[in-house]
Each structure stands twice: as structure tokens, then as C-alpha cells.
Amino acid sequence: MLEIEIDGKKLTVPQGSTVMDAAHSVGTYIPHFCYHKKLSIAANCRMCLVEVEKAPKPLPACATPVTDGMKVHTHSDMAKKAQAGVMEFLLINHPLDCPICDQGGECQLQDLAVGYGNSASRYQEEKRVVVGKDMGPLVSAEEMSRCIHCTRCVRFTEEIGGFQEIGMANRSEFSEILPFLGKTVDSEISGNVIDLCPVGALTSKPFRYSTRAWELSRRKSVSPHDGLGANLIVQVKGNQVMRVLPLENEEINECWIADRDRFSYEGLNSAERLQKPMIKHDGKWHEADWQTALEYVVKGLNGVSRDHGKDAIGVLASPHSTTEELFLAQKLARSFGVNNVDYRLRRSDFRADAAQQGALWLGSSIVDLASAKSVLVVGSTQRQEQPLLASRLRQAVKKGSELNVIHVADDALLTKLNAKLIVSPLALVNALAQVLKAVVAIKSGESAIDLAAVSVSAEAQRIAESLCGAESASVVLGNVAQHHPAFSELLSLAQEIARLSGARFGVLAEAANSVGAELVGAVPTRGVFGAAVSAGLDAQQMIAAPRKAYVLLNSEVEFDSYNPQAAVAAMKSAETVIALTAFKAEGLLDYADVLLPIAPFSETAGSFVNMEGRLQTFNGVVRPLGEARPAWKVLRVLGNMLGISGFEYTSVEEVRAEWQGKGDIAPSLNNVLASVSANVQPAATALVRVGEVPLYQADAICRRASSLQATRAAAVPVAHAAQSVLDAAGVQSGAVVVLKQGDGQVRVALEADATLPAGVVRLATAHPTTIALGGMFDPIEIKQG
Amino acid sequence: MLSAQSLALIDREVAKYPADQKRSAVMGALRIALEERRSTGETPEARCLNQEVIEFVANYLEIPPVAAYEVATFYNMYDMKPVGKYKITVCTNLPCALRGGVNAAEYISHKLGIAIGETSSDGMYTLLEGECMGACGDAPVLLVNNHSMCSFMTSEAIDKKLAELK
Ligand code: SF4
Ligand code: FES
Ligand code: FES
């Protein structure tokens, strides 16, 4: 520990602290631009100059390590003069166009110029002009003359984004911040540079010029997208969400948010929002009032249950719904006598249900995962599924943790991997079994799973050694593993690996409220907090054996299902499809019979339980649009109209209190299966699809966010396959082929891709151009175009 | 994009640094790439670095293209603009200026009929001003194509040099 005195305040700080760190720890503010606590030290703006006794010149606080007995003055004449001098230089070439600058009112340069600058400039000469740059549809770099060359944006893309997409070209007076010629900034977390930029050089393209920062009110919220549960500040003006910023939470999202969290709000204001209930009569849609629509729904449900029995009704809920909505949906269904409730539309393997003893979750806190010394990620397209978690794992690798990957494609994770096994989905189980076999050998343990047929590859051995050798380790299953037709086997293997190696294991919850849905029993085999229920059909069974009526909560089955082809066919064959939805989706208009407009997360109070089992509540930030109503209210009224008791709630808090009263979250989280089993035979060779959900197709809101949809990540998907697959099919890379699954087919370009294993065709699911196809990881045929 | 020879030279640069720090070889790699372009390029446009070459070098070193671009644009001996077959850089910094450096530059400019910073219309010569080359005692000095240093460049010496550069 070192002693230091800052402006007369004595304190001790750990070895290696900078003067800036020390000042922050006693709440002393030192002006700065280039310094950022999450980025490396560049010390190029010089705004943080302070006087240090015995030093002949002022020193930059951000880059000066504390030495024992140091005495620092942040407001002495010397310091003030230095700071004012730096400010004068920074403003020399700055256009001072605050009145027309989008950053006006929330600009660090503006604020500090008030504190440290002069009211008029002594500089009369010409200022330099820097032409604007194109960084893509999200980040505007239109006014680069404003840039003060702090390089925060450069360091962000390199250090946090993992790939330097922005650089500073040229030298001295000619320095310019730019992306590589002709390239845009494509990182899935690029929007953070807007927050980082201390001036108005990088601004939000969708938000620009729409309003002034001081006209916005700030409301706290939680991201409704991935399972991380990033904390948000939603900014609102005139009952409209205008923009979204991160709310710092070191344990979850640190000070970042992914682009999906930041720009998806455009979907909330999209023209596709459903504002009135709608009923289909003779194939034509009519707007209706709530009373009529609800009566129609009640009549439909009663009719189907009278004619075909309660079992003919299925409820498919989206895990992007709030916990209260999911709780009420399953309560309503079960009280009405319907046991077919599921939120796992994209799952294809439900064999683990019987052995499941609690809600599936991450198996640790996010912080614990990021600080584990060894991590094995199985079946995860990490940067699409959980962009911020992928970034956090990259930081972990830099701090010395070992990242291992078993996956179906050798995606660029922009970090160093300890070991990887890239195999066809058909060989995924075998790959994980190899690791288990190696772990069994290292630990001289025994496994209930028969591993005789498995031969351990060198990479699997390395993974096993990494997991067994680390003082803390985690095995986590991503979306690909969870959607995989052998999910239960993968989970069993992970459990065995964890048991023997001492690692933790869990799943990277796909959606904002997957864990919440598990907890409140939005599954056919378990009730609230695992209460016993009479079992119903799971999502797949409800599709495989079509029901007569479906109730969809926030679900668009063509995008949200494992097998869109089968799901849409099931919807079309039903007598009635009742959709509670925020959007007038094309698919719903096609197969639904009644649309009830419900409020998205921004317009209703509710809660999400993130992947680490953390309950995060939020309030609506704006009033529901048009006649949309919070889904919990719609479900409550439906309960009343169906004559079910226990639906007399007057607030969402009452709903929350009811489900919370039935148990506790922590003890209900449990990944351990009562019995494990896996068929570890090396894979048969067949051509299978790798059909992941694209970054901006994951949920209904981001699918309608126009700027996200203009990014490269949202481009119309093309198919990829290894050269060997192309050769076998006799097609050239780039040729248009017909891909066939079941009785659906699509025409699409097929490109050679060296990152894919043999025997797979990678083509995204959940996209309008591919919904004619079948299961995400099912066999697929290539036919010449 | 680059010849096998150039790639072999780049590999030698790379080998000077630890395997996970290929980035350190970026300056050498860009120099080698430029050298190949200069010696094989038929037109001024083909003799300088451009986006494709920089991207190629970056990919070869497995670094982000923009990182290589930063380096290429920072140092002015990497030609980023079309350049003549002979790039003549005359030092005009103060010590040289006191000993005829500026005059030498003007003499060449007059003789080639191009202003400082220009390339002759036949694509043969580019005339540039340079910064101190650490040879002030030999002033006036000039540099041909980054590598060949010419000292005591009186008018006669310049005439002779230009006669060689055909
Ligand atoms: S664009 Fe903004 S963040 Fe990037 S260097 Fe310039 S001032 Fe800094
Ligand atoms: S903040 Fe210290 S030099 Fe920029
Ligand atoms: S000033 Fe010309 S070589 Fe030094």
C-alpha cells in the first residue's frame, strides 16, 4: 500500500494505482477525456494534468503511477494553468458548433470547456476540416472535425470489441479517425463507441437530430433480448422511446450494452405495431374492440374444449415475456384444464424433462463465469447469442483464463482459444463424450455413461486437462446445444464432466426470461417452482400432433420455432389461433384468427430472471401504444371471463407477490439431472443443417428495428459449407442451389467456407427467406439450382 | 498479390519477433510490399501502396487492416500516392537550407519541370521535400527511392545523377 495526499486529503492506495485511480477513490474529480476505466491508458489528451510536488512539470494523472509519499494538487495554480492550456489547444481546431451538434448538452468537451476554457478564443486562423466517414447504419461519423483524438473509440474496438475496426490514420495535424477504407464498423457491440466518444464526433445514427438530450427523461429498464439481462436507461420524450443507453451494472453488463439492446427500440415504434384487437372473419381482418375480441377468444376456447377436449389446446409462450405474464399464462391454462404449456419453441429434445430437478440456469453468477480459470463453451455461436458475454469471456482470456470451445463452426471469437473441437452437429455428443472420457481418465473416476465407443482426440484431451487443472472451471451449453436434437445427452455429459472435474455447469439462457419461464412453470412437466402438475405436451409434441387451438404469447412460430415448416403447418391446421402480440406480423395475419395487442417490455411493468437467476424488475417507461394493454391484464380479464377464480389482481406487484410466495429462486435453480444418459457412438455421416438464429432475428422487437436490419449482420442469409460438401454436390462456390428439408425448399447461394466441418450446410433459420425449411439441425439436401 | 520472394522476405521479418507478435513485423512487411510495387510497377499508380496491398499485408500478418493502414499513413516514406519511377526527396530542413538544400530542390524542380510534390507527366520522376536525413554535413543531400542517399548535390552532381536515372 502506498500513501498519497491529494489536495491535502491523505489516503492509501494499492501498488500500481495511478493518480487518477487514487483521486477517484476519494471522490476528487480530475478533468479527462481519453482516460476510461475499462480501456487501456493512452494519455494523449493531456486534460488530466495535475501538479505533483517535486516534479518540475505538471503530470498526467491518468498515466502517473502513485509513489509513496506523493503529494498531488489538482487545483493549484500550476495545475489550473496547465488544464486551461490544454483546453485552449483542444478547442483550436474544434468547430465549436455546439448549437447544431447532437452531443450538445451531454458533451464532455462542452462541460469541461465551461469549467476550464475561456469565453472567447484567441485563435483567429483557419481551422482544419475533416471529412465525415461512413461507419455503417448505427454509428454516425459525419462530423469528424469535432474529434479530439482521444482514441477511446479505437481502443474500444480493439480491446473490448476484440477486433480493431477503427483506427487513427495519418499524423499530427492530419490525423483522422476512420474505419478501414470502404469498411463499416460491424462489431455487434459497436454502439458503445457513441457513449465513449467525449464529443459529438461519433453519434447515434438512428437517434441523431430527433431531440435534445435535456428534453429526455431517463427511466431504468432491463434488456428484453438475450439472457444476460443488461441494465438499461431508456430515454423517453412525449410517450415515445427515443433512445436506449446502458445503466452501469458491474455484475452484468459492466458499462456496455450490445447493439441489439441499444438500437432495438426502433422496433417499439415500428409501423407494424398492433394498436387494436383484430379478428379474422372469412379470411378478412377486421379491427374490433377489446370486449368483442375477448368474447371471441373465450368463445373459441370454450368451443374447442367442448368439441375436442382441453387437451386440444396448446399454449406457446415466448421467453421474452415477463415473468408475471408467463406465470399468468400457465396459471390460466392449467386452471382452465390445459396442460400443454411450453416456452421452449426452439428446443428439439425434451428427454431431459423427466430427469430435471429444477430450473436450468447458468450454474454460477456471470462474474463467476468470467473469472473461472477454465471455461468450456459447448455449442454456442457466442457473438450472436450473447454479444456482451462473448466480450466478457475475451477479457477473461486476457486475464489468463483458458477458453475452450466445442462447436459446429469455427467462428472467429476474436480471442485466443486453449483448445477447440469443431464438428458436425451429428458428432457434437461424441465430441463432448471425448472430453468426459479424458476427464474420467485424469480423475480415475467412473461415469454412468458408457464411453467404450469413444476415442479421445488430442484437443479433447487438452480441454479435459484445462478443466481438471484449473482451480475454478465452468462448462456451459449455448443455444446451439440447447436447440440440438441431443440436448439432453449434451446436458448429461456436461453434468458428468462437471461432477468429475469439479467444474460448474449450466446453460447460457437463450432469452431475457428463459430462467424466469422455467421458474414459474411455463413448461409442461413442472409447475411454479417445480410444483407437481399433470403433465402436458411439450412444444415439439404440440406441433408434431397439431392441436385444434393455439394460444400464442409473444410468439411468431415461423421465426421462433425449431421447425418453422412444421410449426406453421400446425397453426394452419388449427381451428383457431389466438395471438397475444405487440406486432401485426405477416405470419400471424396468415395463420392466426384473433390478434390481441399487448404491450412490449417498455410499456408494462414486469420482471425478467437472467441466466444467473437474478430477478430484475422494471416499470413501463411509456404508456401502451394505441389500445395495446399489458399482457398480464389481458390474461387476468381472460381468467375472469372464463370464470376462473384467482384472477382478481389489481397490479402487477400482486401477480409477482403470488408467484414469489410459492418458493424461492435460488434453491429452485438446478441443472443436475436425476439420471444421465447419452448415446456416444461416433456420428453417422449425413448432411445436416446448422441453422442458427441470426443476431437481429432473435425476438419480435429486434426483428423490426430498422437500423439493426440495415447492418451487415442482418443481410439476407446465404448458405455456407465446406469445400468437400460443394464438391460432393458438384456445385461451384457462389452458385445458387436449392436446399431441401422435408417438403420445403429454398433457393439460395451456397458458398465455400473453410470454418465449417464436413457434412454440414450452414443456413440461418428465423429469417423470412428460410422459413420454408425445417429443423435447425436436421438433415438437409442440396439440389442443383 | 505479392511475389514469393517478397513473402519470403516478410517471413524473415516475422521470424524476428515472438510467434504471437506478428504485428511487430508490420513496418518491415509494408516496406517489402512497397519495394516490390516500386520495382515492378509500370505506372505511378502501380508503384505505391493501396488499399488492397495494405489489406493483403494485414491479413498476412493476421492483424486488422486498419492497424496496418495506421502505420502506412503515419510514416511518409510509405508512398500512399502515385509516385514516379524515381522518387527524389531533397532535404530542405534548416541546416541543409543554409547550405543550398532549397536551391538544389529548386534546381531539380526547374530541370524536371515539376513543382515540389508533383510527378512528371511521363511518370518518371516525383520530387519531394524531406526532413533531416542525418547527413547535414554533406548538404545538399537527396534520397532516391527511399534507399539510395546522394551527398553534396551541387548542380553538376544533380545533372549527373539525373542523367543516370533514366
Ligand atoms: S471519434 Fe470521439 S472517441 Fe474517437 S478519437 Fe475522436 S473524440 Fe475520441
Ligand atoms: S485523461 Fe490523462 S491524458 Fe487524457
Ligand atoms: S538538415 Fe538536411 S540532412 Fe539534416
Side-chain angles (χ1 to χ4, degrees), chain A residues 116-144:
Chain A
Y116 300 86
N118 285 325
S119 47
S121 175
R122 291 190 286 167
Y123 182 80
Q124 302 298 332
E125 291 76 5
E126 255 173 53
K127 294 191 182 225
R128 81 188 198 118
V129 173
V130 183
V131 292
K133 309 287 183 297
D134 180 12
M135 292 197 181
L138 303 178
V139 179
S140 164
E142 214 40 66
E143 295 91 8
M144 291 313 282

Side-chain angles (χ1 to χ4, degrees), chain A residues 373-380 382 393 397 400-411 413 415-423 431-432 434-435 438 442 456-468 474 476:
Chain A
K373 291 283 168 275
S374 170
V375 176
L376 169 59
V377 182
V378 182
S380 171
Q382 293 180 40
L393 288 176
V397 170
S401 100
E402 294 179 337
L403 182 59
N404 304 284
V405 163
I406 298 181
H407 193 35
V408 293
D410 194 1
D411 294 326
L413 294 173
T415 189
K416 195 174 97 242
L417 296 183
N418 179 62
K420 63 181 172 195
L421 271 171
I422 305 299
V423 296
L432 195 56
Q434 291 178 28
V435 177
I442 293 170
V456 179
S457 65
E459 288 292 291
Q461 183 68 31
R462 283 174 61 104
I463 296 173
E465 281 165 10
S466 167
L467 291 173
C468 293
S474 276
V476 289

Side-chain angles (χ1 to χ4, degrees), chain A residues 25 89 129 265 304 372 419 691:
Chain A
S25 71
F89 269 110
V129 173
Y265 72 88
V304 169

